[in-house]
Amino acid sequence: MTVNWAAFTEAEPDLARTAEERFGAFTHHVLATLRKDGSPRTTGLEVRFLNGELWLGMMPDSLKALDLRRDPRFALQANPGEGQSMGGGDVRIAGRAIEVEDPKQKAAYGEEVEPPEPFHLFRTELTEVVRTYVEDDKYLVVQIWQPGVPLRTIKRT
């Protein structure tokens, strides 16, 4: 089961807000895709939360775009920032990236974001959102959300 960003936000507004803040704190994040041979590839990426969707924009024929065309599964990790603090925690998103072919949808995105032309545009369908953070300098807290499943919180010392 997969859902878009709007459905996730409706299901877990606090976690969604935290995730958007973490991704908004820095411009570049890390995207993992699968190469032709099935091995992982990680690359830098900018993301946008716009009109209830999490969007991934890419340069034409970039390897990550070609990877996603071949196999839409991805993992995305928010830039943790400098030093050791990871303010707001570590946020990771997994799902499927669906390429947007509709010229009107791409044009609307282009008007809002003004990316270099031409570009690939992918909307995301989420399968998991995970936030990991430290609470009271004592507990490692992991929040795990998946579509159709209540938010799970695991605390470890």
Side-chain angles (χ1 to χ4, degrees), residues 9 14 46 48 75 81 87 93 98 101 128 131 136 138:
T9 299
D14 292 339
E46 295 179 29
R48 300 281 183 185
I93 299 170
I98 311 303
E101 303 284 355
E128 184 176 68
R131 176 183 179 217
D136 299 329
K138 181 177 180 180

Side-chain angles (χ1 to χ4, degrees), residues 81-102:
E82 294 182 30
Q84 303 281 326
S85 68
M86 285 194 2
D90 177 55
V91 176
R92 298 179 307 277
I93 299 170
R96 295 169 38 88
I98 311 303
E99 188 161 16
V100 175
E101 303 284 355
D102 178 38

Side-chain angles (χ1 to χ4, degrees), residues 16-38:
R17 183 173 43 258
T18 298
E20 287 189 39
E21 287 170 1
R22 288 297 300 126
F23 279 96
F26 297 94
T27 303
H28 298 99
H29 308 285
V30 178
L31 176 73
T33 58
L34 295 170
R35 301 171 192 253
K36 281 184 206 178
D37 67 3

